[in-house]
Amino acid sequence: MAAGVRRRPVPRCVRHPCCLVGFFFALRRVWPGTSPHCMPCRLRVSAPTRQSGKSRRASATHPPTRRRGQGAVVALRVFLSYSHKDEELFEKLKAHLEIVERNGHAEFWDDSRLTAGTCLEPAIYSRLDDAHVILLLISADFLHSEFCYSKEMERALARQRAGTARVIPVILRDCQWKIDGRLAALTALPHDALPFTKWPNIDSACDNVVKGLFRVLDEMAANRAAPREVPAKPALAIRAVRKELPAKPALAIRAAKGKASAKPALAIAASGRTGQTVDRVRFLRDAHDLLACHFERELAALRTAHAALTTEFTRVDGSTFVCRAEPAGRRATECAISLVPDRGWITFSDVAASRGNLYIECLGAAVDERGVFLRCLGLGYGADPSRRLTPDDAATLLWNRFVAPLRA
């Protein structure tokens, strides 16, 4: 052996020739180039992988985030409805709510986030219909506002009755809000419904509202996280009933109704868009709001262009609006456009008293590889059922039908 070369210590297992491990260690002494990978897999002992200091620090400070579908919790959405005359108190409350949003407990939205050129009502209604919690900032100016009281609050209370949202009145200033029994039945903030202006200072009132809202958000988050037990036997029973249904009558119903589907699915996967779902009912609701915005704008322009023309636009409720135009000395033309969510239709009627039961044209939602679109069911005036319609196309189509008697 060459001088200065340190001899490896002989492993203890080499003293036992019958041991297979000792044999391999002895083999490595004879042929030092022998790789340990030639050993059987059970005899290999993989060395622990070393991690650089930088990666260790990164993994310590940035734990792996949970993605959607892997247990990630989506923040609750909160909609704020207020009168612009209460903007000073609103901005103060908004500053106190900022800490709740920054810590991921909720996402707040109000109409100050609208950008230029956005159609006002459809954008607001879309956010309101998507919210989990709706705060109504009550004051005399709020109750006096036609849009706040008759539109936003009505829509919010309808969602409260349906159990799809929590509505919380927040009393900003003294007013007779309890005269409305629907508001009086709700628990208001701050504590004991004491208006902001009667607290020692505005910050104390805002802090009390944030505490009350945080308890509501915590309760709703706990209810969403709680596992829901679905009984297996009723589901099996339902499947059994479905199997017993005859196939021929179902085919006969489809043939009688043509291409229209009486019960559209609420969520249908759009082909060509992996993992993306299209909610037909929500699409129809947004389209209905856009139609209302289009008709209201066009009626205002028509009244400006023709001084002798009397026009009227009325929102009957969240699902129906009525338009009427009466030229001087001529018969008035009118229409009612209604959303029928259980059938998945938007109906057009030339009778203002109609509420979706009597109609001369109908729009339905359909999905193809390009996404969701509107389709005219072709009940009248030569519409093409195979044509893909955007909400803007549908608005132009129905508007032309409405003003056709005026052009005659």
Side-chain angles (χ1 to χ4, degrees):
M1 178 177 292
V5 178
R6 187 177 179 181
R7 186 175 180 180
R8 297 182 183 178
V10 179
R12 186 173 297 177
C13 56
V14 176
R15 301 173 188 174
H16 304 280
C18 59
C19 180
L20 188 60
V21 177
F23 170 73
F24 275 104
F25 273 105
L27 185 63
R28 288 196 63 189
R29 284 176 52 81
V30 179
W31 291 289
T34 306
S35 172
H37 295 287
C38 66
M39 300 181 186
C41 59
R42 291 187 181 181
L43 300 179
R44 298 178 201 160
V45 179
S46 58
T49 57
R50 298 186 63 184
Q51 193 176 14
S52 66
K54 183 177 181 180
S55 60
R56 283 199 302 272
R57 288 192 298 271
S59 61
T61 54
H62 301 286
T65 57
R66 293 181 298 173
R67 298 182 178 179
R68 189 183 298 273
Q70 298 179 351
V73 178
V74 180
L76 293 167
R77 293 178 290 276
V78 182
F79 180 91
L80 291 91
S81 173
Y82 70 102
S83 168
H84 286 192
K85 293 184 179 180
D86 298 319
E87 194 160 0
E88 184 178 352
L89 293 175
F90 166 72
E91 290 296 337
K92 198 74 175 178
L93 176 61
K94 194 174 177 181
H96 280 260
L97 293 172
E98 186 69 25
I99 188 65
V100 180
E101 184 167 14
R102 286 186 177 180
N103 284 271
H105 296 289
E107 295 176 359
F108 295 93
W109 193 92
D110 59 88
D111 60 7
S112 65
R113 301 195 180 189
L114 292 174
T115 55
T118 306
C119 197
L120 185 66
E121 289 193 18
I124 291 178
Y125 291 152
S126 175
R127 290 288 185 169
L128 194 151
D129 293 339
D130 200 38
H132 299 97
V133 180
I134 302 170
L135 298 183
L136 303 178
L137 308 190
I138 304 297
S139 69
D141 290 315
F142 180 93
L143 301 177
H144 177 70
S145 170
E146 181 70 18
F147 187 80
C148 292
Y149 185 81
S150 301
K151 295 184 178 181
E152 288 186 346
M153 192 185 83
E154 288 291 338
R155 205 175 184 103
L157 293 176
R159 294 198 61 210
Q160 169 88 6
R161 290 191 297 271
T164 57
R166 181 83 68 91
V167 177
I168 304 175
V170 178
I171 313 303
L172 298 182
R173 293 187 281 120
D174 270 326
C175 59
Q176 295 299 320
W177 61 277
K178 288 188 177 181
I179 292 178
D180 191 321
R182 300 168 301 172
L183 288 176
L186 301 175
T187 304
L189 292 174
H191 183 65
D192 290 337
L194 187 66
F196 277 32
T197 52
K198 289 192 174 181
W199 283 72
N201 55 71
I202 301 300
D203 287 327
S204 299
C206 293
D207 183 65
N208 187 273
V209 171
V210 173
K211 288 179 181 177
L213 176 62
F214 194 81
R215 285 194 294 269
V216 173
L217 295 175
D218 194 31
E219 175 189 337
M220 295 181 72
N223 292 337
R224 294 174 69 194
R228 298 180 180 180
E229 296 182 0
V230 180
K233 290 184 178 180
L236 295 176
I238 292 172
R239 290 175 188 170
V241 170
R242 287 179 178 175
K243 288 182 180 179
E244 292 174 2
L245 292 176
K248 291 184 178 179
L251 294 176
I253 293 173
R254 290 178 188 171
K257 292 186 178 180
K259 296 182 180 179
S261 175
K263 294 183 179 180
L266 295 183
I268 297 181
S271 57
R273 300 186 178 186
T274 306
Q276 182 178 359
T277 59
V278 178
D279 189 340
R280 290 192 181 190
V281 172
R282 182 173 179 181
F283 175 77
L284 286 171
R285 185 183 295 116
D286 293 342
H288 183 264
D289 289 337
L290 189 142
L291 289 174
C293 185
H294 180 87
F295 271 70
E296 186 174 15
R297 183 175 62 249
E298 292 298 327
L299 275 176
L302 198 63
R303 182 173 58 251
T304 303
H306 304 278
L309 187 67
T310 304
T311 63
E312 182 182 352
F313 176 88
T314 306
R315 273 192 177 271
V316 180
D317 51 35
S319 300
T320 301
F321 65 90
V322 173
C323 299
R324 190 172 186 274
E326 183 177 1
R330 294 177 57 186
R331 183 181 178 183
T333 179
E334 59 185 20
C335 75
I337 298 181
S338 302
L339 172 65
V340 188
D342 56 338
R343 296 187 178 182
W345 293 344
I346 295 177
T347 61
F348 177 89
S349 174
D350 56 359
V351 178
S354 171
R355 296 294 181 269
N357 299 318
L358 178 66
Y359 50 90
I360 60 174
E361 188 49 89
C362 189
L363 298 173
V367 179
D368 62 7
E369 66 279 357
R370 294 164 58 187
V372 64
F373 61 95
L374 292 173
R375 182 174 58 191
C376 193
L377 301 187
L379 302 181
Y381 62 98
D384 184 7
S386 63
R387 180 187 172 193
R388 297 178 89 261
L389 295 174
T390 65
D392 290 327
D393 295 335
T396 303
L397 183 70
L398 297 183
W399 174 257
N400 290 337
R401 175 65 183 87
F402 171 68
V403 298
L406 300 177
R407 295 171 179 170

